Amino acid sequence: ASNFAVMPMTYNESVAAEVRAEMARQRLSQTDLATTLNWTQVFLSRRLTGTVAFSTDEIERVASALGVPLGQLVAPAKLEAS
């Protein structure tokens, strides 16, 4: 048995996890996605780690850059965080 308590993910952490999962499915690095978005790697990294929350505009741009519907990134997060 594990002695670690499972902490529920916040909505922002869940959104970041969905973005990371989609990046992995597409075999995209942070640098690849940051370049596509015209962001620095550090700017993207802070959002992917949950240090800074994605704004609505940012997550819309990420969904577009990944070629996925916005709901694919935010709807699963809403379910996990509830």
Side-chain angles (χ1 to χ4, degrees):
S2 172
N3 291 331
F4 295 102
V6 176
M7 296 297 294
M9 272 200 240
T10 67
Y11 176 73
N12 293 330
E13 290 167 339
S14 296
V15 169
E18 290 300 326
V19 173
R20 290 192 310 269
E22 185 57 35
M23 288 173 62
R25 284 190 284 272
Q26 297 187 24
R27 295 178 173 22
L28 284 176
S29 70
Q30 285 186 28
T31 303
D32 294 333
L33 184 57
T35 299
T36 300
L37 292 164
N38 200 28
W39 294 348
T40 65
Q41 186 271 328
V42 170
F43 183 91
L44 179 59
S45 177
R46 287 186 179 140
R47 282 144 185 85
L48 292 176
T49 59
T51 305
V52 175
F54 281 103
S55 72
T56 304
D57 180 61
E58 289 165 356
I59 199 62
E60 287 174 350
R61 288 184 61 196
V62 168
S64 177
L66 292 172
V68 299
L70 179 62
Q72 184 173 323
L73 302 178
V74 298
K78 243 181 161 170
L79 293 173
E80 285 179 33
S82 56

Coordinates of all heavy atoms in Angstrom, one line a residue:
A1 N 0.8 -1.2 0.0 CA 0.0 0.0 0.0 C 0.9 1.2 0.0 O 1.9 1.3 0.6 CB -0.9 0.0 1.2
S2 N 0.4 2.2 -0.7 CA 1.1 3.5 -0.8 C 0.9 4.4 0.4 O -0.2 4.4 0.9 CB 0.7 4.2 -2.1 OG 1.3 5.5 -2.1
N3 N 1.9 5.1 0.8 CA 1.7 6.0 1.9 C 1.5 7.4 1.4 O 1.4 8.3 2.2 CB 3.0 6.0 2.8 CG 3.1 4.7 3.6 OD1 2.1 4.0 3.9 ND2 4.4 4.3 3.9
F4 N 1.4 7.6 0.1 CA 1.2 8.9 -0.5 C -0.3 9.2 -0.6 O -1.0 8.4 -1.2 CB 1.9 9.0 -1.8 CG 3.4 8.9 -1.8 CD1 4.0 7.7 -2.1 CD2 4.2 9.9 -1.3 CE1 5.4 7.6 -2.0 CE2 5.5 9.8 -1.2 CZ 6.1 8.6 -1.6
A5 N -0.7 10.3 -0.1 CA -2.1 10.8 -0.3 C -2.2 11.3 -1.7 O -1.3 12.1 -2.2 CB -2.4 11.8 0.7
V6 N -3.2 11.0 -2.4 CA -3.4 11.5 -3.8 C -4.1 12.9 -3.7 O -5.2 12.9 -3.2 CB -4.3 10.5 -4.7 CG1 -4.5 11.2 -6.0 CG2 -3.5 9.2 -4.8
M7 N -3.4 13.9 -4.1 CA -4.0 15.2 -4.0 C -4.8 15.4 -5.3 O -4.3 15.2 -6.4 CB -2.9 16.3 -3.9 CG -2.0 16.2 -2.7 SD -3.0 16.5 -1.2 CE -3.4 18.2 -1.4
P8 N -6.0 15.9 -5.1 CA -6.8 16.2 -6.3 C -6.2 17.3 -7.2 O -5.6 18.2 -6.6 CB -8.2 16.6 -5.8 CG -8.0 17.0 -4.4 CD -6.7 16.3 -3.9
M9 N -6.2 17.1 -8.5 CA -5.7 18.2 -9.4 C -6.6 19.4 -9.4 O -7.8 19.2 -9.4 CB -5.5 17.6 -10.8 CG -4.3 16.9 -11.1 SD -4.0 16.8 -12.9 CE -4.0 15.1 -13.1
T10 N -6.0 20.5 -9.5 CA -6.8 21.7 -9.7 C -7.2 21.8 -11.2 O -6.6 21.0 -12.0 CB -6.0 23.0 -9.4 OG1 -4.9 23.1 -10.3 CG2 -5.5 23.0 -8.0
Y11 N -8.1 22.6 -11.5 CA -8.5 22.7 -12.9 C -7.3 23.1 -13.8 O -7.1 22.5 -14.9 CB -9.6 23.8 -13.0 CG -10.1 24.1 -14.4 CD1 -10.8 23.2 -15.1 CD2 -9.7 25.3 -15.0 CE1 -11.2 23.4 -16.4 CE2 -10.1 25.6 -16.3 CZ -10.8 24.6 -17.0 OH -11.2 24.9 -18.3
N12 N -6.5 24.1 -13.3 CA -5.4 24.5 -14.1 C -4.4 23.4 -14.3 O -3.8 23.3 -15.4 CB -4.7 25.7 -13.4 CG -5.5 27.0 -13.4 OD1 -6.4 27.2 -14.3 ND2 -5.4 27.8 -12.4
E13 N -4.1 22.6 -13.3 CA -3.2 21.5 -13.4 C -3.8 20.4 -14.4 O -3.0 19.8 -15.2 CB -3.0 20.8 -12.0 CG -2.2 21.7 -11.1 CD -2.2 21.1 -9.7 OE1 -3.2 20.4 -9.3 OE2 -1.3 21.5 -8.9
S14 N -5.1 20.2 -14.4 CA -5.7 19.3 -15.3 C -5.6 19.7 -16.7 O -5.3 18.9 -17.6 CB -7.2 19.1 -14.9 OG -7.2 18.5 -13.6
V15 N -5.8 21.0 -17.0 CA -5.7 21.6 -18.3 C -4.3 21.4 -18.8 O -4.0 20.9 -19.9 CB -6.1 23.1 -18.4 CG1 -5.7 23.7 -19.7 CG2 -7.6 23.2 -18.2
A16 N -3.3 21.7 -17.9 CA -1.9 21.6 -18.3 C -1.6 20.1 -18.6 O -0.9 19.8 -19.6 CB -1.0 22.1 -17.2
A17 N -2.1 19.2 -17.8 CA -1.9 17.8 -18.1 C -2.5 17.3 -19.4 O -1.9 16.5 -20.1 CB -2.5 16.9 -16.9
E18 N -3.7 17.8 -19.8 CA -4.3 17.5 -21.1 C -3.4 18.0 -22.2 O -3.2 17.4 -23.2 CB -5.7 18.1 -21.2 CG -6.7 17.4 -20.3 CD -6.8 15.9 -20.6 OE1 -6.7 15.5 -21.7 OE2 -7.1 15.2 -19.6
V19 N -2.9 19.2 -22.1 CA -2.0 19.8 -23.1 C -0.7 18.9 -23.2 O -0.3 18.6 -24.3 CB -1.6 21.3 -22.8 CG1 -0.6 21.8 -23.8 CG2 -2.9 22.1 -22.9
R20 N -0.1 18.5 -22.1 CA 1.1 17.7 -22.1 C 0.8 16.4 -22.8 O 1.6 15.8 -23.6 CB 1.6 17.5 -20.7 CG 2.3 18.7 -20.1 CD 3.1 18.4 -18.9 NE 2.3 17.6 -17.9 CZ 1.6 18.1 -16.9 NH1 1.4 19.4 -16.8 NH2 1.0 17.3 -16.0
A21 N -0.4 15.8 -22.5 CA -0.8 14.5 -23.1 C -0.9 14.6 -24.6 O -0.4 13.7 -25.3 CB -2.1 14.0 -22.4
E22 N -1.5 15.7 -25.0 CA -1.7 15.9 -26.5 C -0.4 16.1 -27.2 O -0.1 15.6 -28.3 CB -2.7 17.0 -26.8 CG -3.0 17.2 -28.3 CD -3.6 15.9 -28.9 OE1 -4.3 15.2 -28.3 OE2 -3.2 15.7 -30.1
M23 N 0.5 16.9 -26.5 CA 1.9 17.1 -27.0 C 2.6 15.7 -27.2 O 3.2 15.5 -28.2 CB 2.7 18.0 -26.1 CG 2.2 19.4 -26.2 SD 3.1 20.5 -24.9 CE 4.8 20.3 -25.5
A24 N 2.4 14.9 -26.2 CA 3.1 13.5 -26.2 C 2.5 12.7 -27.4 O 3.3 12.0 -28.1 CB 2.9 12.8 -24.9
R25 N 1.2 12.7 -27.5 CA 0.6 12.0 -28.6 C 1.1 12.4 -30.0 O 1.3 11.6 -30.9 CB -1.0 12.1 -28.6 CG -1.7 11.3 -27.5 CD -3.2 11.3 -27.7 NE -3.8 12.5 -27.3 CZ -4.2 12.8 -26.0 NH1 -4.0 11.9 -25.1 NH2 -4.8 13.9 -25.7
Q26 N 1.4 13.7 -30.1 CA 1.9 14.3 -31.4 C 3.4 14.3 -31.4 O 4.0 14.8 -32.4 CB 1.3 15.7 -31.6 CG -0.2 15.7 -31.7 CD -0.7 17.0 -32.1 OE1 0.0 17.9 -32.7 NE2 -2.0 17.3 -31.8
R27 N 4.0 13.8 -30.4 CA 5.5 13.8 -30.3 C 6.1 15.2 -30.5 O 7.1 15.4 -31.2 CB 6.1 12.8 -31.2 CG 5.8 11.4 -30.9 CD 6.4 10.5 -31.9 NE 6.4 9.0 -31.8 CZ 5.6 8.2 -31.1 NH1 4.7 8.7 -30.3 NH2 5.6 6.9 -31.2
L28 N 5.5 16.2 -29.8 CA 5.9 17.6 -29.9 C 6.7 17.9 -28.6 O 6.2 17.6 -27.5 CB 4.7 18.5 -30.0 CG 4.0 18.7 -31.3 CD1 2.8 19.6 -31.2 CD2 5.0 19.2 -32.4
S29 N 7.8 18.6 -28.7 CA 8.5 19.1 -27.6 C 8.0 20.4 -27.2 O 7.2 21.1 -27.9 CB 10.0 19.2 -27.9 OG 10.2 20.3 -28.8
Q30 N 8.3 20.9 -26.0 CA 7.9 22.2 -25.5 C 8.5 23.3 -26.5 O 7.8 24.2 -26.9 CB 8.5 22.5 -24.1 CG 7.7 21.8 -23.1 CD 8.2 22.2 -21.7 OE1 8.7 23.3 -21.5 NE2 8.1 21.3 -20.7
T31 N 9.7 23.1 -27.0 CA 10.3 24.0 -27.9 C 9.5 24.0 -29.2 O 9.3 25.1 -29.8 CB 11.8 23.6 -28.2 OG1 12.5 23.6 -26.9 CG2 12.5 24.6 -29.1
D32 N 9.1 22.9 -29.7 CA 8.3 22.8 -31.0 C 7.0 23.6 -30.8 O 6.7 24.5 -31.7 CB 7.9 21.4 -31.3 CG 9.1 20.5 -31.7 OD1 10.1 21.0 -32.1 OD2 9.0 19.2 -31.5
L33 N 6.3 23.4 -29.7 CA 5.0 24.1 -29.6 C 5.2 25.5 -29.3 O 4.5 26.4 -29.9 CB 4.2 23.4 -28.4 CG 2.8 24.0 -28.2 CD1 2.0 23.9 -29.5 CD2 2.1 23.3 -27.1
A34 N 6.2 25.9 -28.5 CA 6.5 27.3 -28.2 C 6.8 28.0 -29.5 O 6.4 29.2 -29.7 CB 7.6 27.4 -27.2
T35 N 7.6 27.4 -30.3 CA 8.0 28.1 -31.6 C 6.8 28.3 -32.5 O 6.6 29.4 -33.0 CB 9.0 27.2 -32.4 OG1 10.2 27.1 -31.5 CG2 9.4 27.8 -33.7
T36 N 5.9 27.3 -32.6 CA 4.7 27.4 -33.3 C 3.8 28.5 -32.8 O 3.2 29.3 -33.6 CB 3.9 26.1 -33.3 OG1 4.7 25.0 -33.8 CG2 2.6 26.2 -34.0
L37 N 3.8 28.7 -31.5 CA 2.9 29.7 -30.9 C 3.6 31.1 -30.8 O 3.0 32.1 -30.4 CB 2.6 29.3 -29.5 CG 1.6 28.1 -29.4 CD1 1.6 27.5 -28.0 CD2 0.2 28.5 -29.8
N38 N 4.9 31.1 -31.2 CA 5.7 32.3 -31.1 C 5.8 32.8 -29.6 O 5.8 34.0 -29.3 CB 5.2 33.5 -32.0 CG 6.2 34.5 -32.3 OD1 7.4 34.2 -32.3 ND2 5.8 35.8 -32.5
W39 N 6.0 31.8 -28.7 CA 6.2 32.0 -27.3 C 7.6 31.5 -27.0 O 8.2 30.7 -27.7 CB 5.2 31.2 -26.5 CG 3.8 31.6 -26.6 CD1 3.3 32.7 -27.2 CD2 2.7 30.9 -26.1 NE1 1.9 32.7 -27.0 CE2 1.5 31.6 -26.4 CE3 2.6 29.7 -25.4 CZ2 0.2 31.2 -26.0 CZ3 1.3 29.2 -25.0 CH2 0.1 30.0 -25.3
T40 N 8.2 32.0 -25.9 CA 9.4 31.4 -25.4 C 9.1 30.0 -24.8 O 8.0 29.8 -24.3 CB 10.1 32.3 -24.4 OG1 9.3 32.3 -23.2 CG2 10.4 33.7 -24.9
Q41 N 10.1 29.2 -24.7 CA 10.0 27.9 -24.1 C 9.6 28.1 -22.6 O 8.8 27.3 -22.1 CB 11.2 27.1 -24.3 CG 11.1 25.6 -23.8 CD 11.6 25.5 -22.4 OE1 12.4 26.2 -21.9 NE2 10.9 24.5 -21.7
V42 N 10.2 29.0 -22.0 CA 10.0 29.3 -20.5 C 8.5 29.7 -20.3 O 7.9 29.2 -19.4 CB 11.0 30.4 -20.0 CG1 10.6 30.8 -18.6 CG2 12.4 29.8 -20.0
F43 N 8.0 30.6 -21.2 CA 6.6 31.0 -21.1 C 5.7 29.8 -21.1 O 4.8 29.7 -20.3 CB 6.3 32.0 -22.2 CG 4.9 32.6 -22.2 CD1 4.7 33.8 -21.6 CD2 3.9 31.9 -22.9 CE1 3.4 34.3 -21.6 CE2 2.6 32.5 -22.9 CZ 2.4 33.7 -22.3
L44 N 5.9 28.9 -22.1 CA 5.1 27.7 -22.2 C 5.3 26.7 -21.0 O 4.4 26.2 -20.5 CB 5.4 27.0 -23.5 CG 4.6 25.7 -23.8 CD1 3.1 25.9 -23.8 CD2 5.1 25.0 -25.1
S45 N 6.6 26.5 -20.7 CA 6.9 25.6 -19.6 C 6.2 26.0 -18.3 O 5.7 25.1 -17.6 CB 8.4 25.6 -19.3 OG 8.7 24.8 -18.2
R46 N 6.1 27.3 -18.0 CA 5.4 27.7 -16.7 C 4.0 27.3 -16.7 O 3.4 27.0 -15.7 CB 5.6 29.2 -16.5 CG 7.0 29.6 -16.1 CD 7.1 31.1 -15.8 NE 8.5 31.3 -15.4 CZ 9.2 32.4 -15.7 NH1 8.6 33.3 -16.5 NH2 10.4 32.6 -15.3
R47 N 3.4 27.3 -17.9 CA 2.0 26.9 -18.0 C 1.8 25.4 -18.0 O 0.9 24.9 -17.4 CB 1.4 27.6 -19.3 CG 1.1 29.0 -19.1 CD 1.3 29.9 -20.2 NE 1.1 31.3 -19.8 CZ 2.0 32.1 -19.3 NH1 3.2 31.6 -19.0 NH2 1.8 33.3 -18.9
L48 N 2.7 24.7 -18.6 CA 2.6 23.2 -18.7 C 2.9 22.6 -17.3 O 2.4 21.5 -17.1 CB 3.6 22.7 -19.7 CG 3.3 23.0 -21.2 CD1 4.4 22.5 -22.0 CD2 2.0 22.4 -21.6
T49 N 3.6 23.3 -16.4 CA 3.9 22.8 -15.1 C 2.8 23.2 -14.1 O 2.8 22.8 -13.0 CB 5.3 23.2 -14.6 OG1 5.3 24.6 -14.6 CG2 6.4 22.7 -15.4
G50 N 1.9 24.1 -14.5 CA 0.9 24.6 -13.6 C 1.4 25.8 -12.8 O 0.6 26.2 -11.9
T51 N 2.6 26.2 -13.0 CA 3.1 27.4 -12.2 C 2.3 28.6 -12.5 O 2.0 29.4 -11.6 CB 4.6 27.7 -12.5 OG1 5.3 26.5 -12.3 CG2 5.2 28.8 -11.7
V52 N 1.9 28.8 -13.8 CA 1.1 29.9 -14.2 C -0.1 29.2 -15.0 O 0.1 28.3 -15.8 CB 1.8 30.8 -15.2 CG1 0.9 31.9 -15.7 CG2 3.0 31.4 -14.4
A53 N -1.3 29.7 -14.7 CA -2.5 29.2 -15.4 C -2.5 29.7 -16.8 O -2.1 30.9 -17.1 CB -3.8 29.6 -14.7
F54 N -3.0 28.9 -17.7 CA -3.3 29.3 -19.1 C -4.4 30.3 -19.1 O -5.4 30.0 -18.4 CB -3.7 28.1 -20.0 CG -2.6 27.2 -20.5 CD1 -2.4 26.0 -19.9 CD2 -1.8 27.6 -21.6 CE1 -1.4 25.2 -20.4 CE2 -0.8 26.8 -22.0 CZ -0.6 25.6 -21.4
S55 N -4.3 31.4 -19.8 CA -5.5 32.3 -19.9 C -6.4 31.7 -21.0 O -6.0 30.7 -21.7 CB -5.0 33.7 -20.4 OG -4.6 33.6 -21.8
T56 N -7.6 32.2 -21.1 CA -8.5 31.6 -22.1 C -8.0 31.8 -23.5 O -8.0 30.9 -24.3 CB -9.9 32.4 -22.0 OG1 -10.4 32.2 -20.6 CG2 -10.9 31.8 -23.0
D57 N -7.4 33.0 -23.8 CA -6.8 33.2 -25.1 C -5.6 32.2 -25.4 O -5.5 31.7 -26.5 CB -6.3 34.7 -25.2 CG -5.7 35.0 -26.5 OD1 -6.4 34.8 -27.6 OD2 -4.5 35.3 -26.6
E58 N -4.8 32.0 -24.4 CA -3.6 31.1 -24.5 C -4.1 29.7 -24.8 O -3.5 29.1 -25.7 CB -2.8 31.2 -23.3 CG -2.0 32.5 -23.1 CD -1.4 32.7 -21.7 OE1 -1.7 31.8 -20.8 OE2 -0.8 33.7 -21.5
I59 N -5.1 29.2 -24.1 CA -5.5 27.8 -24.3 C -6.2 27.6 -25.6 O -6.0 26.6 -26.3 CB -6.3 27.3 -23.1 CG1 -6.3 25.7 -23.1 CG2 -7.7 27.8 -23.1 CD1 -5.0 25.1 -22.9
E60 N -6.9 28.7 -26.1 CA -7.5 28.6 -27.4 C -6.4 28.6 -28.5 O -6.5 27.8 -29.4 CB -8.4 29.8 -27.6 CG -9.7 29.8 -26.9 CD -10.5 31.0 -27.0 OE1 -10.0 32.1 -27.5 OE2 -11.7 31.0 -26.5
R61 N -5.3 29.3 -28.3 CA -4.2 29.3 -29.2 C -3.5 28.0 -29.2 O -3.1 27.5 -30.3 CB -3.2 30.4 -28.9 CG -3.7 31.8 -29.3 CD -2.7 32.9 -29.0 NE -1.5 32.7 -29.9 CZ -0.4 33.3 -29.7 NH1 -0.2 34.2 -28.7 NH2 0.7 33.1 -30.4
V62 N -3.3 27.4 -28.0 CA -2.7 26.1 -27.9 C -3.5 25.0 -28.7 O -3.0 24.2 -29.4 CB -2.5 25.7 -26.5 CG1 -2.1 24.2 -26.3 CG2 -1.4 26.6 -25.8
A63 N -4.8 25.0 -28.4 CA -5.7 24.1 -29.1 C -5.6 24.2 -30.6 O -5.5 23.2 -31.3 CB -7.2 24.3 -28.6
S64 N -5.6 25.4 -31.1 CA -5.5 25.7 -32.5 C -4.2 25.2 -33.1 O -4.1 24.5 -34.1 CB -5.7 27.2 -32.8 OG -5.5 27.4 -34.2
A65 N -3.1 25.4 -32.3 CA -1.7 25.0 -32.8 C -1.6 23.5 -32.8 O -0.9 22.9 -33.6 CB -0.7 25.6 -31.9
L66 N -2.3 22.8 -31.8 CA -2.3 21.4 -31.8 C -3.3 20.7 -32.7 O -3.3 19.5 -32.9 CB -2.6 20.9 -30.3 CG -1.5 21.2 -29.3 CD1 -2.0 20.9 -27.9 CD2 -0.2 20.5 -29.6
G67 N -4.2 21.6 -33.3 CA -5.2 21.0 -34.2 C -6.3 20.2 -33.6 O -6.8 19.3 -34.1
V68 N -6.6 20.6 -32.3 CA -7.6 19.8 -31.6 C -8.7 20.8 -31.1 O -8.4 22.0 -30.9 CB -7.0 19.1 -30.3 CG1 -6.0 18.0 -30.8 CG2 -6.4 20.0 -29.3
P69 N -9.9 20.3 -30.9 CA -11.0 21.2 -30.4 C -10.6 21.7 -29.0 O -10.1 20.9 -28.2 CB -12.2 20.4 -30.4 CG -11.9 19.1 -31.0 CD -10.4 19.0 -31.2
L70 N -11.0 22.9 -28.7 CA -10.7 23.4 -27.3 C -11.3 22.5 -26.2 O -10.6 22.3 -25.2 CB -11.3 24.8 -27.2 CG -11.2 25.5 -25.9 CD1 -9.7 25.8 -25.6 CD2 -12.0 26.8 -25.9
G71 N -12.5 21.9 -26.5 CA -13.1 21.1 -25.5 C -12.2 19.8 -25.2 O -12.4 19.3 -24.1
Q72 N -11.4 19.4 -26.1 CA -10.5 18.3 -25.8 C -9.5 18.6 -24.7 O -9.1 17.7 -24.0 CB -9.8 17.8 -27.1 CG -9.0 16.6 -26.9 CD -8.4 16.1 -28.2 OE1 -9.0 16.2 -29.3 NE2 -7.2 15.6 -28.2
L73 N -9.2 19.8 -24.6 CA -8.2 20.2 -23.6 C -8.8 20.6 -22.2 O -8.3 20.4 -21.2 CB -7.3 21.3 -24.1 CG -6.5 21.0 -25.4 CD1 -5.7 22.3 -25.8 CD2 -5.6 19.8 -25.2
V74 N -10.0 21.3 -22.3 CA -10.6 21.8 -21.1 C -11.7 20.9 -20.5 O -11.9 20.9 -19.3 CB -11.1 23.2 -21.3 CG1 -9.9 24.2 -21.6 CG2 -12.2 23.4 -22.3
A75 N -12.5 20.2 -21.4 CA -13.6 19.4 -20.9 C -13.1 18.3 -19.9 O -13.7 18.1 -18.8 CB -14.4 18.8 -22.0
P76 N -12.1 17.5 -20.3 CA -11.6 16.5 -19.4 C -11.1 17.1 -18.1 O -11.3 16.5 -17.0 CB -10.5 15.8 -20.1 CG -10.7 16.1 -21.6 CD -11.4 17.4 -21.6
A77 N -10.5 18.2 -18.1 CA -10.0 18.9 -16.9 C -11.1 19.3 -16.0 O -11.0 19.1 -14.8 CB -9.2 20.1 -17.3
K78 N -12.2 19.7 -16.6 CA -13.4 20.1 -15.8 C -13.9 18.9 -15.0 O -14.3 19.0 -13.8 CB -14.5 20.6 -16.7 CG -14.9 22.0 -16.4 CD -16.0 22.5 -17.4 CE -16.6 23.7 -16.8 NZ -17.6 24.3 -17.7
L79 N -14.0 17.7 -15.6 CA -14.4 16.5 -15.0 C -13.5 16.1 -13.9 O -13.9 15.7 -12.8 CB -14.6 15.4 -16.0 CG -15.7 15.6 -17.1 CD1 -15.6 14.5 -18.1 CD2 -17.0 15.6 -16.5
E80 N -12.2 16.1 -14.2 CA -11.2 15.7 -13.1 C -11.2 16.6 -11.9 O -11.0 16.1 -10.8 CB -9.8 15.7 -13.8 CG -9.6 14.5 -14.7 CD -8.2 14.5 -15.3 OE1 -7.2 15.0 -14.6 OE2 -8.0 14.1 -16.5
A81 N -11.4 17.9 -12.2 CA -11.3 18.8 -11.0 C -12.5 18.9 -10.2 O -12.5 19.5 -9.2 CB -10.9 20.2 -11.6
S82 N -13.6 18.3 -10.7 CA -14.9 18.4 -9.9 C -15.0 17.4 -8.8 O -14.2 16.5 -8.7 CB -16.0 18.3 -10.9 OG -16.0 17.1 -11.6

